[in-house]
Amino acid sequence: MRRTVFLCLVILMVTAARAQALSIVVGKHKLLPNTPGQRIAIYVTGGELVNGMSLSVSVNNGGAEYGGKPGPLITGIDVDAGPTIWNQHPGHNPPSISNEGQLWNVNFLTVDGYVSAEGLLATLKIDTTGFFGEHTLELSGGTISETLGDTQFLGQDLELTIINGSFGDGTGQLGMRAVGLPTVAVLAAAVMLMRRRRRARIA
């Protein structure tokens, strides 16, 4: 009987340990088309102790330069805005940032010690100017794996599961370019000019 109880406790402990594996689910986010300065929050669960990270992010697999599709730009990654896990003691060193429009990487170490990886990880700033429709948002795989390395935390033998996501305006169309206001104005002017010419001919 005691042996059975002991085995059950061991199984529960192993199950609990596995449940604590780090995970990032990017999710699907609703953003306005043709609009700068929009934000997407990225969260981590699992609660493992970490002492830094390398956060790699791409939109549409990095864009045309990397074999992906043109799309909205990443204009910032903030790891301090709001109650992020990095606002816990002991804080972090200044990040090293690589910025290529649709492909970013931010990496840094904590000042001294560890923080619990449970909660708000970072906030992405996205500019959809010139675009509407749906766009992929990746933290691993594709161009990221080939150029920057997948998003990872720094610590002792950490396993991280990443489920990539997307953002868009809900139209279901992929990577479509928006028609800018100057183009609309030109089309409207052309229509008015054609109408005037037709009236002049009739007169």
Side-chain angles (χ1 to χ4, degrees), residues 4-196:
T4 302
V5 172
F6 175 76
L7 288 174
C8 289
L9 289 174
V10 170
I11 292 172
L12 288 173
M13 291 175 66
V14 171
T15 303
R18 289 179 178 175
Q20 291 299 311
L22 295 176
S23 177
I24 298 175
V25 179
V26 177
K28 299 181 68 174
H29 303 269
K30 186 79 174 289
L31 295 187
L32 296 173
N34 211 30
T35 304
Q38 301 182 78
R39 297 180 182 277
I40 293 176
I42 303 296
Y43 292 86
V44 59
T45 59
E48 296 278 5
L49 295 178
V50 300
N51 66 340
M53 74 171 178
S54 176
L55 175 61
S56 300
V57 185
S58 72
V59 171
N60 292 350
N61 201 33
E65 183 179 351
Y66 294 94
K69 296 180 179 180
L73 301 179
I74 304 167
T75 57
I77 297 179
D78 196 333
V79 297
D80 294 308
T84 71
I85 65 171
W86 310 109
N87 285 338
Q88 304 175 45
H89 177 80
H92 63 82
N93 293 306
S96 171
I97 301 174
S98 172
N99 168 17
E100 295 188 43
Q102 289 175 242
L103 183 66
W104 275 58
N105 174 266
V106 176
N107 65 83
F108 56 85
L109 293 169
T110 55
V111 175
D112 181 24
Y114 295 80
V115 299
S116 173
E118 179 74 39
L120 179 61
L121 177 64
T123 301
L124 313 180
K125 191 174 181 181
I126 305 293
D127 181 358
T128 62
T129 299
F131 292 91
F132 66 96
E134 305 300 312
H135 307 273
T136 61
L137 183 61
E138 308 101 348
L139 272 62
S140 65
T143 296
I144 288 178
S145 296
E146 297 169 1
T147 60
L148 302 173
D150 293 339
T151 293
Q152 62 180 322
F153 290 99
L154 306 179
Q156 298 289 332
D157 299 324
L158 297 175
E159 293 185 8
L160 173 61
T161 298
I162 297 174
I163 300 178
N164 290 320
S166 63
F167 64 88
D169 54 16
T171 62
Q173 301 180 50
L174 293 176
M176 300 297 292
R177 185 176 294 277
V179 178
L181 291 179
T183 304
V184 174
V186 169
L187 290 174
V191 171
M192 291 180 65
L193 181 60
M194 291 175 65
R195 288 178 177 175
R196 288 176 181 175

